[in-house]
Amino acid sequence: MAAPKEVAEPHKELRFTRANQAQNFIILAAVGLAFTLLLTITWLMGHPDFSWWMPLIPLTLSILIARLATRCARHAYIILTPLGIEIFPLVKPEKNLNLIYWTQLEDAEFDPHLSTLKLHYNAEKTAGAILSLKPIPPKKRPLLQKAIKGRLPTTETKPSP
């Protein structure tokens, strides 16, 4: 099984995984396994409408969903590095990786519930990227907000005398 690669300087980066999303997939896989068990017991009791192959369908789906949950929990969604913010999509992250350099960013805006992050490339806020923070556990979102706000240059200017 593939594992995350070793990081050269892990003390200089923050990783945020899709652990919140993984929890939902684990629950779904457990429900699928329970349904598999129900179908298996019904077939073993000799019910005439059930065949031997019927439990294999939810079992296969449960295994695939459990693998997806493992992938979500192990692999990063957002990584804050000294260079910038690395955003990994769920599908084909090695091809569709998005790296946004800190120098490209003018501002970062979080909604009040910390469920959406808007990264702005210009002061007019007409270009940028919008990220859903729902895959990240709610307890980790304030850490992400503090880390991004702490890294961005402050745009507040002091009034001249």
mmCIF file of all heavy atoms in Angstrom, residues 127-150:
data_model
loop_
_atom_site.group_PDB
_atom_site.id
_atom_site.type_symbol
_atom_site.label_atom_id
_atom_site.label_comp_id
_atom_site.label_asym_id
_atom_site.label_seq_id
_atom_site.Cartn_x
_atom_site.Cartn_y
_atom_site.Cartn_z
ATOM 1 N N ALA A 127 -9.768 37.855 -8.328
ATOM 2 C CA ALA A 127 -9.122 36.620 -8.763
ATOM 3 C C ALA A 127 -8.643 35.854 -7.537
ATOM 4 O O ALA A 127 -8.267 36.461 -6.532
ATOM 5 C CB ALA A 127 -7.941 36.918 -9.675
ATOM 6 N N GLY A 128 -8.679 34.540 -7.643
ATOM 7 C CA GLY A 128 -8.218 33.745 -6.518
ATOM 8 C C GLY A 128 -8.728 32.331 -6.561
ATOM 9 O O GLY A 128 -9.071 31.809 -7.624
ATOM 10 N N ALA A 129 -8.789 31.726 -5.398
ATOM 11 C CA ALA A 129 -9.241 30.344 -5.275
ATOM 12 C C ALA A 129 -10.181 30.246 -4.075
ATOM 13 O O ALA A 129 -9.998 30.942 -3.077
ATOM 14 C CB ALA A 129 -8.053 29.409 -5.078
ATOM 15 N N ILE A 130 -11.165 29.387 -4.201
ATOM 16 C CA ILE A 130 -12.121 29.147 -3.122
ATOM 17 C C ILE A 130 -12.002 27.682 -2.719
ATOM 18 O O ILE A 130 -12.096 26.796 -3.560
ATOM 19 C CB ILE A 130 -13.558 29.479 -3.553
ATOM 20 C CG1 ILE A 130 -13.665 30.945 -3.948
ATOM 21 C CG2 ILE A 130 -14.533 29.148 -2.435
ATOM 22 C CD1 ILE A 130 -15.013 31.325 -4.516
ATOM 23 N N LEU A 131 -11.795 27.445 -1.430
ATOM 24 C CA LEU A 131 -11.632 26.091 -0.914
ATOM 25 C C LEU A 131 -12.701 25.790 0.125
ATOM 26 O O LEU A 131 -12.991 26.626 0.977
ATOM 27 C CB LEU A 131 -10.271 25.937 -0.237
ATOM 28 C CG LEU A 131 -9.038 26.180 -1.073
ATOM 29 C CD1 LEU A 131 -7.808 26.178 -0.196
ATOM 30 C CD2 LEU A 131 -8.926 25.108 -2.121
ATOM 31 N N SER A 132 -13.250 24.608 0.060
ATOM 32 C CA SER A 132 -14.166 24.147 1.091
ATOM 33 C C SER A 132 -13.327 23.567 2.219
ATOM 34 O O SER A 132 -12.422 22.765 1.987
ATOM 35 C CB SER A 132 -15.113 23.091 0.540
ATOM 36 O OG SER A 132 -15.870 22.545 1.592
ATOM 37 N N LEU A 133 -13.625 23.955 3.436
ATOM 38 C CA LEU A 133 -12.900 23.438 4.596
ATOM 39 C C LEU A 133 -13.674 22.336 5.308
ATOM 40 O O LEU A 133 -13.263 21.871 6.364
ATOM 41 C CB LEU A 133 -12.592 24.581 5.566
ATOM 42 C CG LEU A 133 -11.726 25.708 5.005
ATOM 43 C CD1 LEU A 133 -11.494 26.769 6.060
ATOM 44 C CD2 LEU A 133 -10.414 25.186 4.463
ATOM 45 N N LYS A 134 -14.780 21.899 4.736
ATOM 46 C CA LYS A 134 -15.594 20.862 5.372
ATOM 47 C C LYS A 134 -14.880 19.516 5.491
ATOM 48 O O LYS A 134 -15.150 18.777 6.432
ATOM 49 C CB LYS A 134 -16.921 20.716 4.639
ATOM 50 C CG LYS A 134 -17.815 21.920 4.873
ATOM 51 C CD LYS A 134 -19.144 21.770 4.197
ATOM 52 C CE LYS A 134 -19.979 23.024 4.439
ATOM 53 N NZ LYS A 134 -21.269 22.943 3.773
ATOM 54 N N PRO A 135 -13.956 19.137 4.577
ATOM 55 C CA PRO A 135 -13.233 17.876 4.780
ATOM 56 C C PRO A 135 -12.295 17.893 5.989
ATOM 57 O O PRO A 135 -11.924 16.853 6.498
ATOM 58 C CB PRO A 135 -12.438 17.705 3.490
ATOM 59 C CG PRO A 135 -13.169 18.486 2.474
ATOM 60 C CD PRO A 135 -13.744 19.652 3.215
ATOM 61 N N ILE A 136 -11.914 19.085 6.461
ATOM 62 C CA ILE A 136 -11.016 19.215 7.607
ATOM 63 C C ILE A 136 -11.850 19.190 8.887
ATOM 64 O O ILE A 136 -12.894 19.837 8.949
ATOM 65 C CB ILE A 136 -10.212 20.529 7.505
ATOM 66 C CG1 ILE A 136 -9.354 20.524 6.229
ATOM 67 C CG2 ILE A 136 -9.332 20.736 8.727
ATOM 68 C CD1 ILE A 136 -8.669 21.832 5.947
ATOM 69 N N PRO A 137 -11.418 18.472 9.919
ATOM 70 C CA PRO A 137 -12.182 18.450 11.174
ATOM 71 C C PRO A 137 -12.386 19.867 11.733
ATOM 72 O O PRO A 137 -11.479 20.699 11.668
ATOM 73 C CB PRO A 137 -11.317 17.612 12.116
ATOM 74 C CG PRO A 137 -10.485 16.773 11.214
ATOM 75 C CD PRO A 137 -10.247 17.592 9.986
ATOM 76 N N PRO A 138 -13.564 20.145 12.291
ATOM 77 C CA PRO A 138 -13.853 21.495 12.789
ATOM 78 C C PRO A 138 -12.868 22.008 13.839
ATOM 79 O O PRO A 138 -12.606 23.209 13.894
ATOM 80 C CB PRO A 138 -15.256 21.360 13.397
ATOM 81 C CG PRO A 138 -15.863 20.208 12.691
ATOM 82 C CD PRO A 138 -14.735 19.275 12.388
ATOM 83 N N LYS A 139 -12.292 21.129 14.633
ATOM 84 C CA LYS A 139 -11.340 21.570 15.653
ATOM 85 C C LYS A 139 -10.015 22.025 15.061
ATOM 86 O O LYS A 139 -9.254 22.733 15.716
ATOM 87 C CB LYS A 139 -11.098 20.455 16.664
ATOM 88 C CG LYS A 139 -12.297 20.172 17.536
ATOM 89 C CD LYS A 139 -11.984 19.117 18.562
ATOM 90 C CE LYS A 139 -13.198 18.877 19.450
ATOM 91 N NZ LYS A 139 -12.923 17.882 20.479
ATOM 92 N N LYS A 140 -9.707 21.612 13.834
ATOM 93 C CA LYS A 140 -8.449 21.983 13.188
ATOM 94 C C LYS A 140 -8.564 23.267 12.359
ATOM 95 O O LYS A 140 -7.553 23.865 11.999
ATOM 96 C CB LYS A 140 -7.968 20.860 12.262
ATOM 97 C CG LYS A 140 -7.772 19.533 12.954
ATOM 98 C CD LYS A 140 -6.594 19.572 13.877
ATOM 99 C CE LYS A 140 -6.395 18.191 14.486
ATOM 100 N NZ LYS A 140 -5.368 18.167 15.474
ATOM 101 N N ARG A 141 -9.764 23.687 12.051
ATOM 102 C CA ARG A 141 -9.960 24.862 11.193
ATOM 103 C C ARG A 141 -9.432 26.155 11.804
ATOM 104 O O ARG A 141 -8.836 26.963 11.085
ATOM 105 C CB ARG A 141 -11.433 24.999 10.821
ATOM 106 C CG ARG A 141 -11.920 23.862 9.950
ATOM 107 C CD ARG A 141 -13.389 23.980 9.662
ATOM 108 N NE ARG A 141 -13.922 22.714 9.187
ATOM 109 C CZ ARG A 141 -15.197 22.437 9.089
ATOM 110 N NH1 ARG A 141 -16.105 23.341 9.409
ATOM 111 N NH2 ARG A 141 -15.590 21.264 8.657
ATOM 112 N N PRO A 142 -9.610 26.415 13.116
ATOM 113 C CA PRO A 142 -9.012 27.637 13.669
ATOM 114 C C PRO A 142 -7.490 27.660 13.563
ATOM 115 O O PRO A 142 -6.892 28.724 13.379
ATOM 116 C CB PRO A 142 -9.466 27.634 15.136
ATOM 117 C CG PRO A 142 -10.708 26.817 15.148
ATOM 118 C CD PRO A 142 -10.495 25.767 14.089
ATOM 119 N N LEU A 143 -6.852 26.482 13.654
ATOM 120 C CA LEU A 143 -5.399 26.410 13.477
ATOM 121 C C LEU A 143 -5.021 26.817 12.051
ATOM 122 O O LEU A 143 -4.064 27.565 11.846
ATOM 123 C CB LEU A 143 -4.894 25.003 13.780
ATOM 124 C CG LEU A 143 -3.420 24.733 13.517
ATOM 125 C CD1 LEU A 143 -2.544 25.602 14.396
ATOM 126 C CD2 LEU A 143 -3.104 23.271 13.744
ATOM 127 N N LEU A 144 -5.772 26.341 11.073
ATOM 128 C CA LEU A 144 -5.526 26.719 9.683
ATOM 129 C C LEU A 144 -5.702 28.223 9.498
ATOM 130 O O LEU A 144 -4.877 28.873 8.859
ATOM 131 C CB LEU A 144 -6.463 25.952 8.749
ATOM 132 C CG LEU A 144 -6.386 26.303 7.263
ATOM 133 C CD1 LEU A 144 -5.030 25.934 6.698
ATOM 134 C CD2 LEU A 144 -7.491 25.606 6.498
ATOM 135 N N GLN A 145 -6.755 28.762 10.068
ATOM 136 C CA GLN A 145 -7.009 30.202 9.950
ATOM 137 C C GLN A 145 -5.864 31.003 10.568
ATOM 138 O O GLN A 145 -5.363 31.950 9.956
ATOM 139 C CB GLN A 145 -8.324 30.564 10.628
ATOM 140 C CG GLN A 145 -8.656 32.032 10.533
ATOM 141 C CD GLN A 145 -9.928 32.398 11.284
ATOM 142 O OE1 GLN A 145 -10.305 31.714 12.238
ATOM 143 N NE2 GLN A 145 -10.573 33.447 10.859
ATOM 144 N N LYS A 146 -5.436 30.614 11.748
ATOM 145 C CA LYS A 146 -4.355 31.335 12.429
ATOM 146 C C LYS A 146 -3.049 31.243 11.637
ATOM 147 O O LYS A 146 -2.322 32.229 11.511
ATOM 148 C CB LYS A 146 -4.170 30.763 13.833
ATOM 149 C CG LYS A 146 -3.160 31.499 14.664
ATOM 150 C CD LYS A 146 -3.107 30.944 16.072
ATOM 151 C CE LYS A 146 -2.099 31.713 16.900
ATOM 152 N NZ LYS A 146 -2.021 31.194 18.268
ATOM 153 N N ALA A 147 -2.774 30.058 11.082
ATOM 154 C CA ALA A 147 -1.534 29.867 10.321
ATOM 155 C C ALA A 147 -1.532 30.700 9.043
ATOM 156 O O ALA A 147 -0.511 31.317 8.704
ATOM 157 C CB ALA A 147 -1.353 28.390 9.994
ATOM 158 N N ILE A 148 -2.648 30.741 8.341
ATOM 159 C CA ILE A 148 -2.687 31.503 7.087
ATOM 160 C C ILE A 148 -2.674 33.001 7.366
ATOM 161 O O ILE A 148 -1.941 33.755 6.730
ATOM 162 C CB ILE A 148 -3.908 31.096 6.246
ATOM 163 C CG1 ILE A 148 -3.697 29.689 5.692
ATOM 164 C CG2 ILE A 148 -4.136 32.085 5.108
ATOM 165 C CD1 ILE A 148 -4.841 29.142 4.888
ATOM 166 N N LYS A 149 -3.476 33.441 8.313
ATOM 167 C CA LYS A 149 -3.507 34.873 8.651
ATOM 168 C C LYS A 149 -2.157 35.335 9.197
ATOM 169 O O LYS A 149 -1.742 36.465 8.946
ATOM 170 C CB LYS A 149 -4.614 35.168 9.670
ATOM 171 C CG LYS A 149 -6.004 35.038 9.111
ATOM 172 C CD LYS A 149 -6.313 36.164 8.172
ATOM 173 C CE LYS A 149 -7.776 36.119 7.773
ATOM 174 N NZ LYS A 149 -8.133 37.189 6.871
ATOM 175 N N GLY A 150 -1.458 34.478 9.916
ATOM 176 C CA GLY A 150 -0.152 34.833 10.456
ATOM 177 C C GLY A 150 0.927 34.914 9.394
ATOM 178 O O GLY A 150 1.925 35.616 9.560
#
